[in-house]
Amino acid sequence: MGKAYAVIDTSGKILYESPGFVRSNAYEAAQMSQGTALYISGEDSLSQENERLKEQLKQAEAANSAKETFLSNMSHDIRTPMNAIVGMTTLAQKHIDEKVRVADALNKIETASSHLLSLISDVLDTSRLNAGRMKLASERFSLSDLLHDITIIVRPLADQKHHAWQLIANDIEVESFYGDPLRLRQVIVNIVNNAIKYTEDGGRVTLQVSEKTDGNLCHLIFVCQDNGIGMSQEFVQRIFEPFERVNNSTVSRIEGTGLGMSIVKKLVDAMGGEVSVESALGAGTTVTVSVPLVYERLQPNASRLRGSQILIIEADEKLRLLYERYLKDLEAKPMLVANATEALSALTEAGYRGETFALAVIGQKQSDGSRALDVAAYLHHAYPQLPLLLANEENWERIEYEANRCGVRGFLALPFFRKSLITGLISVMDENHESLGGPAMPDLTGRHILLVEDNLINTEIAREILSMTNAEIDTAENGQQALDRYTASGAGYYQLILMDIQMPIMDGYTAARAIRASGQADALQIPIYAMTANTFAEDIARAAAAGMNGHIAKPIDIQALMQVLRTL
Amino acid sequence: MLPYQEEYIRNVSEAVELSDYARDVQTSFEQWYEDRVRANARIAELKQRNTQLLNENLFPTLDALHSASQQTLDELNAFADALLDWKINLDPGVYVIIHDALLSLYRVRHDRNAIIRELYKLGMGLYYQRRAIMGIKFDTARSFYFENEMVFAEAASYFRHFEEIGDEETQGYILRSIANIALCVRDHKRKIAASGKALQIIRDPHYREIAPGLPWDRYLRSVHQQMSANRSSLSRGNLTQEELSLVLDSCYEVFKPEQLSGNPSVRWLWPYYEMEYNCGYVDISTTLSRMEKLIEDTPWDQYDISGLYGCGQLPLRYGELLRQHPEFLEDHERRVFLSHAYEKMERHLMTYPREKLSETFYFTISLVFTDYFETDGVPPYRDLALHLIMRLHGDLYIRACRAKVLLQCLCKALLRTDPAFFDDIPFIHQAAPEEKKSVVLDYAQDCALFYDHGLRQTSLPQVRTRDLFQNEYRMYQLHPLAGRDTLSRYSSLCRCADVAWGHHRAYNGIQGYPDDYERTSSPYRQMTDAVALVSWIIERNTNDFSALLPEIFAQEGKLFSPLVTACLNDTRTLEELQAALTADDTSYYREIWENLCQWYNE
């Protein structure tokens, strides 16, 4: 007969008693400690039982001690940001008239509050997990997006500590999964953050991602490796216990609740996966997480890429190989160059042969160290009709504004895989209503543009460019005519006014002011852009003062004009 | 050229000449002052006129460029060429505007050869225009360099069609663009690669046969000169064998004809010596001795390129080597030599004849402002900088003096309200209570004189003769960073660096520039706030302080610190500021005159 046992929950309630289980005083005592699975064998001798009870008491005391430590840590960890909040609030009140000091205090309060919130979230997560109240979602997610998000979160901390951070995700075939991406992200970010925190400045942290399919399931395997301070074997044994933190002078200032790895373990368990840790003092740490997930192999239709010339500007060898492999599989024609100079050369060559590139991908690394957005800006200037896709591990939201201004039409989050690459390329091509390789003009069918210009040839050229957008173009020869047309056509008729400045009868500034003051419903919103060769800073300021939204250089700068048209 | 173009060029030339404060300095002060006031008025008039000429003539022409005749295009080209003649560039800004417009025109016309030509010319214009931001850290000015590089790179990319182009002039532009990419990159390896590619092509008989009429030997020498400029990278230890051999070969090729001439100029001797030093052929001690000989052998009044080299650039390099090898400064003789070399440099530059001013002169001045080695026993950077500013940027100096009086007045008022007002500034906090006021006022003086130090480049006379173009305005907005970067190098002025950095940034951190100035992180913020207000008042160019008050109060807590504006509620302070604003500025002119006279009367 095996050992009899009982399971007691955190409130002391008996959840389960195995056959042969005998209640005793020792059990009653142990019941006072919470959450312990208690084993009592009905066949053991009293002395053996006493030994076991002693051991259990020791464990209970250890658990109690860990809780004491936790309370002490929490009290310190909570008090520290609270001190900042209380102190900074007092300072802000004292200097209420000095806005910048108040702003500074608010910033510090915000930082402290965020830290406090993360502490509380950890504690709540632990509590939920312990109580079995944590429910995992099952939604479709992209591995590429997941890894990109992880990079965005962990890179700033890695950069701050001057670590070499590397994400390796080669040979990924399955990209769409069903699972809880938020919780999976939480697990991986937690592990990587630990690696970063517990590695001295200038270290190396690597996250390697691989897959192993098994019937309907695909095991996603994350291996996080660092060359940090490592852990003793004794600590490795306890790492998944709550409230445990490495106690080491090197990292004594590292903040944390000691709950992170416990949460990781519980989340991975809940996902049906496994987590393991290998480490030695001074020799770094390797954490491996494997989670089985339902997957789908659907690939987007890539037929449109077949035969398309695609310019890839990327100096990173591994990424170049990926682009080449994926695009050749899709029967596209990739042209790989390493920097903007080589790109210009390729574009000139193609132009000379009368060929066009369907689009250009501006990669993460340029061999000459140039910024990707500078490259985009110049290519957009020289080849305004070339659609540009930016492939980067930056946070798109952070760079979107500047990227759009530089002519970037789409974003491919790094790391990318076959499906995300196809989706990224197609999305940029879709934006272009023309056939592949045709001009990258926005489709303005049904929109009306008022072109105000007194020079006939300029009008002709502008009309020619604008007509490629399918917009309806009306013209006016001076400011007065423009004003008349605008007011006569009614609100909402025109979506854009392109205004020459120096014109007979009424100049562009006066006309813009008059339109803004016309009282028509859209008078204050309709975009008005100056088209002028006057490039004095004061002229541009004057155009803004007259209520114009911007300035396009003359002779007509196609790039600037396209940029404006794309905003419509 | 058209009459307006000729007039524009005459006006710029006149303005450049008038802007030299050393002009006619040997007359009496009264006469000089009278001439000076007249000259300043004339410069203002010329500026207005030139702006008008561009507005009424050039811009309408560019406006209608698509319908312009060939004659108009030729006239524009001739006008642009006259503005950038490589000796003293009268107006790189207008040159850029014209060639940018022509490039747009030819892009629409799909005229390949014209596109290549305009790309090359635009690249050269941008290169000289970029001089305005010399001294600013590369990362800050990266976008300007990159734009310039890309323009040359686009022209260079047509090299694939070199044979088919068939037009030697266009082929020449392509070759020069390939070589000029080296002018726009900072990394030595990339510079060497760019020049190396140009050398490879120029030496290839195949291309020489295709375009026999091109001045191949001149190209070869120019590229060797460019390549030899990479000699400082020889000591870095990261060059490949091939890169090393390219640089060494060019250093020798540049030196060879000089050696054969029997009387090599310092301009070419030093690069060769420096190459020998960087390769380890000779030690630092020998190199310093060689430099001393070259500097000594150059007369202080040798007013030509070699003179600028021997009296200006070489002493700066000598100082740089001593900075890198401070153990040699322990030798008293060397310290004395450095001091004398710097004094000679100052004398050379202060007395350089106006009619000989050149691009190389202005380039040397830029180097002085950024590369001077301030150490014990040599004249402080502060004094040297002020002297050069007095001569070449007299208007900036006068403005700074006006700011000084206003700022000191404001500081006194702030100290009356709160004696500890500036105590966030460590050296003021440490000052004894009875000395605090004078410490603050001395500091205020330096801050007023140097808060616009970054403007010394962007306000070269050539660009002061019209309004700024948009891209120049972007460069102008970098002047706080140029000021910060320069001042932070010198112990005599580094405490003014934050003031230069933050004086155009609004108190609330929303308006103004540059974005990276964080007021709350700077211990000098209270002085920066005071300078920001004074700078704003000076720019208003008015004598009526009370008229400015409503706007100042409206900007309280936005543009201006409320702690500073609070003292403007005091009648005594207002009266003092009004008096400071209307103070007679003759004494500032006299300071300039006296200083300049001493150079010419020596």
Side-chain angles (χ1 to χ4, degrees):
Chain A
M1 188 181 170
K3 289 176 183 175
Y5 63 94
V7 180
I8 306 164
D9 76 2
T10 51
S11 65
K13 189 179 160 194
I14 300 167
L15 297 175
Y16 178 74
E17 283 179 320
S18 73
F21 176 75
V22 180
R23 294 188 184 196
S24 68
N25 287 341
Y27 163 72
E28 296 297 336
Q31 200 179 27
M32 299 301 290
S33 73
Q34 294 169 357
T36 315
L38 187 65
Y39 299 89
I40 299 179
S41 163
E43 292 176 351
D44 286 348
S45 67
L46 193 60
S47 62
Q48 280 173 321
E49 193 167 314
N50 279 343
E51 282 307 308
R52 258 200 312 277
L53 287 171
K54 273 182 197 166
E55 182 56 31
Q56 282 159 1
L57 184 62
K58 211 167 136 189
Q59 282 175 9
E61 279 169 355
N64 211 29
S65 160
K67 265 181 284 174
E68 290 289 328
T69 313
F70 165 71
L71 283 174
S72 158
N73 285 345
M74 286 304 287
S75 133
H76 168 263
D77 289 345
I78 291 176
R79 191 176 293 131
T80 311
M82 277 310 291
N83 282 344
I85 292 169
V86 172
M88 284 295 143
T89 309
T90 314
L91 268 180
Q93 280 166 341
K94 258 187 171 178
H95 298 275
I96 195 77
D97 291 330
E98 207 182 333
K99 284 186 184 170
V100 174
R101 286 194 78 159
V102 173
D104 183 47
L106 288 175
N107 277 339
K108 286 176 177 150
I109 291 171
E110 192 184 16
T111 309
S113 309
S114 304
H115 178 58
L116 194 55
L117 188 64
S118 73
L119 289 179
I120 294 167
S121 302
D122 274 2
V123 174
L124 288 177
D125 278 354
T126 305
S127 162
R128 275 195 209 112
L129 282 162
N130 283 344
R133 283 190 288 113
M134 174 80 79
K135 286 213 171 111
L136 294 176
S138 179
E139 59 188 63
R140 193 163 74 171
F141 69 92
S142 140
L143 178 61
S144 170
D145 290 348
L146 175 77
L147 296 178
H148 183 67
D149 288 351
I150 290 170
T151 301
I152 288 173
I153 296 168
V154 302
R155 182 178 278 287
L157 186 58
D159 287 347
Q160 204 180 339
K161 295 198 72 185
H162 309 293
H163 289 329
W165 153 251
Q166 201 184 6
L167 174 63
I168 303 166
N170 299 331
D171 300 319
I172 295 292
E173 290 299 327
V174 181
E175 295 171 50
S176 285
F177 294 91
Y178 286 87
D180 191 331
L182 280 180
R183 292 297 170 188
L184 189 52
R185 188 177 79 185
Q186 183 182 356
V187 165
I188 306 302
V189 165
N190 217 319
I191 290 168
V192 177
N193 270 347
N194 274 347
I196 293 170
K197 279 196 281 187
Y198 291 100
T199 298
E200 285 186 60
D201 285 11
R204 177 176 40 78
V205 178
T206 308
L207 179 67
Q208 184 151 10
V209 188
S210 57
E211 298 171 336
K212 196 172 155 193
T213 46
D214 177 15
N216 289 336
L217 294 177
C218 176
H219 288 263
L220 263 183
I221 303 158
F222 300 86
V223 181
C224 177
Q225 200 166 20
D226 66 59
N227 63 347
I229 58 172
M231 292 171 274
S232 66
Q233 286 313 303
E234 189 235 335
F235 186 80
V236 169
Q237 302 300 318
R238 292 187 285 117
I239 190 167
F240 296 122
E241 289 175 23
F243 326 126
E244 292 292 351
R245 284 196 289 198
V246 170
N247 196 5
N248 177 305
S249 60
T250 324
V251 293
S252 59
R253 291 179 62 228
I254 292 174
E255 291 173 333
T257 55
L259 289 171
M261 288 307 282
S262 157
I263 294 171
V264 162
K265 170 80 172 129
K266 284 181 173 137
L267 282 173
V268 173
D269 285 349
M271 290 173 190
E274 288 170 3
V275 55
S276 63
V277 179
E278 285 173 46
S279 185
L281 273 176
T285 301
T286 302
V287 182
T288 305
V289 172
S290 169
V291 282
L293 295 165
V294 176
Y295 68 96
E296 67 175 19
R297 271 197 188 273
L298 281 178
Q299 292 287 359
N301 182 358
S303 58
R304 292 184 56 197
L305 293 168
R306 200 168 298 141
S308 305
Q309 285 213 90
I310 296 171
L311 183 62
I312 311 285
I313 312 163
E314 175 59 77
D316 183 289
E317 268 311 314
K318 284 179 186 154
L319 290 173
R320 284 166 70 97
L321 286 173
L322 272 186
Y323 281 118
E324 194 162 26
R325 196 177 90 198
Y326 289 154
L327 290 173
K328 281 191 174 163
D329 286 353
L330 299 167
E331 294 177 42
K333 293 180 190 164
M335 158 75 90
L336 287 138
V337 296
N339 57 46
T341 310
E342 290 180 13
L344 283 169
S345 200
L347 287 161
T348 311
E349 174 76 20
Y352 199 67
R353 289 197 307 261
E355 296 170 359
T356 51
F357 282 98
L359 83 162
V361 178
I362 301 169
Q364 168 87 357
K365 188 178 165 194
Q366 309 292 307
S367 67
D368 55 9
S370 310
R371 277 176 74 229
L373 289 181
D374 285 339
V375 175
Y378 192 81
L379 288 184
H380 188 48
H381 184 77
Y383 292 89
Q385 297 178 348
L386 177 72
L388 301 176
L389 175 72
L390 185 73
N392 211 290
E393 65 173 35
E394 278 269 11
N395 184 350
W396 172 241
E397 283 168 12
R398 210 170 61 75
I399 56 171
E400 184 178 2
Y401 178 75
E402 191 189 352
N404 283 337
R405 286 193 56 185
C406 294
V408 170
R409 306 267 299 282
F411 183 68
L412 174 64
L414 291 188
F416 68 84
F417 309 117
R418 189 187 304 270
K419 186 183 156 198
S420 53
L421 176 64
I422 297 170
T423 314
L425 295 173
I426 300 271
S427 72
V428 170
M429 289 172 167
D430 276 348
E431 201 189 311
N432 175 11
H433 68 97
E434 298 282 350
S435 59
L436 280 183
M441 282 285 180
D443 185 0
L444 301 178
T445 307
R447 313 280 182 98
H448 295 86
I449 296 173
L450 179 57
L451 174 65
V452 192
E453 169 66 66
D454 66 332
N455 180 300
L456 277 181
I457 292 181
N458 283 351
T459 307
E460 224 169 275
I461 289 167
R463 194 186 260 283
E464 200 180 311
I465 297 168
L466 293 169
S467 67
M468 288 193 275
T469 67
N470 295 333
E472 298 287 330
I473 321 290
D474 290 345
T475 56
E477 287 174 15
N478 59 57
Q480 185 60 55
Q481 262 188 24
L483 179 62
D484 294 345
R485 278 187 191 279
Y486 169 72
T487 47
S489 57
Y493 182 77
Y494 289 116
Q495 278 72 49
L496 173 68
I497 300 176
L498 296 170
M499 181 82 77
D500 187 14
I501 293 297
Q502 291 181 343
M503 291 179 291
I505 303 175
M506 184 189 279
D507 68 30
Y509 299 126
T510 314
R513 270 194 299 272
I515 288 169
R516 295 290 184 220
S518 65
Q520 196 152 292
D522 65 348
L524 298 176
Q525 289 85 40
I526 184 164
I528 308 175
Y529 280 81
M531 289 205 304
T532 172
N534 294 40
T535 42
F536 283 135
E538 278 188 14
D539 292 324
I540 289 161
R542 206 172 150 203
M548 299 202 200
N549 300 67
H551 162 268
I552 299 168
K554 275 193 351 192
I556 293 168
D557 181 335
I558 300 174
Q559 179 260 338
L561 186 54
M562 301 261 264
Q563 215 165 349
V564 170
L565 295 175
R566 281 202 194 95
T567 62
L568 296 183
Chain B
M1 268 189 282
L2 292 169
Y4 89 87
Q5 295 167 339
E6 285 168 351
E7 184 187 347
Y8 187 90
I9 290 164
R10 271 198 313 276
N11 291 348
V12 182
S13 306
E14 186 184 347
V16 169
E17 191 186 326
L18 289 175
S19 63
D20 183 1
Y21 272 53
R23 188 170 166 269
D24 297 333
V25 78
Q26 280 145 311
T27 57
S28 69
F29 170 69
E30 288 70 23
Q31 183 61 52
W32 177 84
Y33 176 70
E34 200 177 303
D35 288 349
R36 193 63 252 161
V37 170
R38 207 177 304 122
N40 287 351
R42 176 69 180 150
I43 291 171
E45 204 177 286
L46 290 170
K47 178 180 173 179
Q48 206 177 357
R49 175 65 183 154
N50 271 2
T51 302
Q52 186 189 11
L53 286 174
L54 296 183
N55 271 328
E56 291 178 359
N57 299 281
L58 178 66
F59 293 154
T61 306
L62 299 184
D63 231 14
L65 204 58
H66 287 292
S67 46
S69 66
Q70 187 54 46
Q71 191 187 341
T72 303
L73 300 182
D74 292 343
E75 283 159 356
L76 278 175
N77 262 305
F79 180 39
D81 286 347
L83 293 169
L84 199 78
D85 67 359
W86 325 116
K87 287 179 191 119
I88 180 157
N89 297 323
L90 290 175
D91 198 333
V94 171
Y95 183 91
V96 163
I97 291 285
I98 291 174
H99 286 295
D100 200 18
L102 289 171
L103 178 61
S104 294
L105 172 75
Y106 295 125
R107 280 195 200 277
V108 171
R109 289 186 182 175
H110 301 289
D111 182 339
R112 183 185 61 191
N113 288 8
I115 290 172
I116 296 169
R117 180 184 66 235
E118 293 309 323
L119 281 167
Y120 170 77
K121 291 192 171 188
L122 179 60
M124 290 314 297
L126 290 172
Y127 171 70
Y128 282 103
Q129 199 178 32
R130 200 158 42 74
R131 286 277 171 95
I133 48 171
M134 220 180 116
I136 294 176
K137 283 182 184 157
F138 180 81
D139 282 344
T140 311
R142 182 186 285 272
S143 62
F144 293 101
Y145 284 83
F146 185 76
E147 183 191 3
N148 201 173
E149 180 193 345
M150 286 296 100
V151 168
F152 280 132
E154 193 184 342
S157 70
Y158 285 92
F159 178 66
R160 285 163 187 256
H161 311 294
F162 193 80
E163 294 176 37
E164 302 147 32
I165 280 172
D167 170 52
E168 287 196 334
E169 188 192 349
T170 309
Q171 287 165 328
Y173 289 129
I174 294 174
L175 290 176
R176 285 147 81 184
S177 296
I178 292 172
N180 285 352
I181 289 173
L183 300 174
C184 314
V185 294
R186 188 181 59 161
D187 177 66
H188 277 91
K189 287 175 95 70
R190 290 196 59 215
K191 275 181 185 287
I192 293 169
S195 300
K197 185 176 177 190
L199 275 177
Q200 195 181 11
I201 297 164
I202 292 167
R203 282 170 166 162
D204 191 335
H206 171 69
Y207 295 110
R208 290 191 172 219
E209 274 170 30
I210 294 170
L214 287 177
W216 291 97
D217 290 340
R218 187 156 60 81
Y219 287 170
L220 187 64
R221 184 163 170 77
S222 300
V223 179
H224 275 312
Q225 285 174 6
Q226 260 180 21
M227 180 69 91
S228 72
N230 292 302
R231 57 190 176 273
S232 62
S233 63
L234 291 170
S235 58
R236 294 187 187 182
N238 65 345
L239 298 189
T240 63
Q241 204 171 350
E242 195 190 336
E243 289 164 341
L244 276 170
S245 65
L246 278 170
V247 179
L248 292 179
D249 184 43
S250 287
C251 286
Y252 180 71
E253 288 296 331
V254 168
F255 180 64
K256 192 169 62 179
E258 296 291 319
Q259 196 184 29
L260 290 174
S261 76
N263 183 25
S265 135
V266 57
R267 191 178 167 204
W268 303 118
L269 262 176
W270 165 242
Y272 193 72
Y273 288 167
E274 191 176 30
M275 179 271 286
E276 290 195 321
Y277 165 63
N278 285 324
C279 285
Y281 297 159
V282 294
D283 62 10
I284 173 73
S285 180
T286 312
T287 304
L288 288 172
S289 301
R290 281 173 156 186
M291 294 177 95
E292 285 160 10
K293 171 102 178 49
L294 290 176
I295 293 168
E296 270 175 354
D297 286 351
T298 312
W300 69 270
D301 55 355
Q302 185 181 331
Y303 299 120
D304 56 19
I305 290 183
S306 279
L308 282 168
Y309 218 84
C311 295
Q313 296 183 27
L314 203 50
L316 292 170
R317 187 75 189 111
Y318 183 80
E320 189 57 37
L321 279 182
L322 287 176
R323 193 204 302 262
Q324 290 163 9
H325 299 276
E327 66 275 16
F328 284 91
L329 274 172
E330 285 165 22
D331 177 351
H332 179 67
E333 298 281 311
R334 285 232 145 87
R335 199 180 278 276
V336 169
F337 183 86
L338 177 67
S339 180
H340 285 161
Y342 277 170
E343 282 165 10
K344 184 167 141 186
M345 173 177 78
E346 187 175 1
R347 187 175 187 195
H348 179 75
L349 297 173
M350 289 300 288
T351 58
Y352 208 91
R354 190 172 48 260
E355 62 279 8
K356 291 190 174 181
L357 294 183
S358 63
E359 205 45 41
T360 314
F361 171 81
Y362 287 111
F363 179 70
T364 308
I365 293 285
S366 306
L367 292 177
V368 174
F369 278 124
T370 54
D371 292 2
Y372 190 80
F373 176 37
E374 190 176 59
T375 182
D376 289 346
V378 305
Y381 174 81
R382 182 188 184 282
D383 295 352
L384 170 75
L386 282 179
H387 295 160
L388 291 173
I389 288 168
M390 281 180 188
R391 175 173 180 193
L392 299 167
H393 304 283
D395 50 340
L396 283 187
Y397 184 76
I398 300 291
R399 208 174 63 152
C401 289
R402 289 187 181 129
K404 178 183 75 178
V405 179
L406 267 179
L407 184 62
Q408 288 183 327
C409 191
L410 187 62
C411 288
K412 282 182 206 164
L414 290 166
L415 287 173
R416 274 200 301 272
T417 324
D418 177 6
F421 186 82
F422 293 103
D423 275 14
D424 279 346
I425 302 170
F427 70 89
I428 293 177
H429 180 67
Q430 285 154 14
E434 65 278 11
E435 287 174 357
K436 189 166 283 183
K437 187 175 169 187
S438 68
V439 171
V440 169
L441 294 183
D442 283 350
Y443 178 46
Q445 170 173 292
D446 277 355
C447 288
L449 289 175
F450 287 95
Y451 72 89
D452 259 345
H453 196 47
L455 274 181
R456 66 191 187 275
Q457 285 296 113
T458 48
S459 66
L460 284 175
Q462 294 92 316
V463 294
R464 273 181 283 163
T465 50
R466 55 165 168 75
D467 287 349
L468 290 180
F469 294 130
Q470 184 66 11
N471 62 342
E472 291 168 338
Y473 187 64
R474 275 173 56 219
M475 291 184 189
Y476 167 87
Q477 287 195 322
L478 295 178
H479 80 264
L481 296 166
R484 175 200 65 185
D485 292 349
T486 307
L487 296 175
S488 57
R489 289 190 190 113
Y490 301 105
S491 57
S492 60
L493 290 170
C494 60
R495 60 190 192 175
C496 303
D498 276 17
V499 175
W501 185 15
H503 75 278
H504 277 299
R505 189 74 180 147
Y507 169 79
N508 63 9
I510 296 170
Q511 299 153 272
Y513 55 89
D515 292 343
D516 64 350
Y517 171 75
E518 275 186 40
R519 180 183 175 278
T520 44
S521 315
S522 168
Y524 304 97
R525 61 184 172 277
Q526 307 294 15
M527 185 57 85
T528 308
D529 293 343
V531 170
L533 176 62
V534 166
S535 146
W536 183 87
I537 293 168
I538 293 283
E539 278 172 24
R540 285 296 163 284
N541 204 18
T542 175
N543 282 337
D544 183 4
F545 190 75
S546 59
L548 299 174
L549 274 176
E551 203 177 339
I552 292 174
F553 285 126
Q555 291 292 341
E556 193 175 57
K558 296 173 193 160
L559 207 51
F560 306 123
S561 161
L563 302 177
V564 173
T565 50
C567 77
L568 301 182
N569 292 311
D570 173 49
T571 316
R572 177 181 161 192
T573 304
L574 289 178
E575 284 170 3
E576 286 172 355
L577 285 169
Q578 177 61 50
L581 196 62
T582 49
D584 180 18
D585 56 11
T586 318
S587 61
Y588 317 142
Y589 282 95
R590 185 176 282 279
E591 274 178 50
I592 295 180
W593 180 78
E594 284 173 353
N595 183 277
L596 294 177
C597 276
Q598 79 183 12
W599 297 103
Y600 287 88
N601 295 334
E602 268 179 9

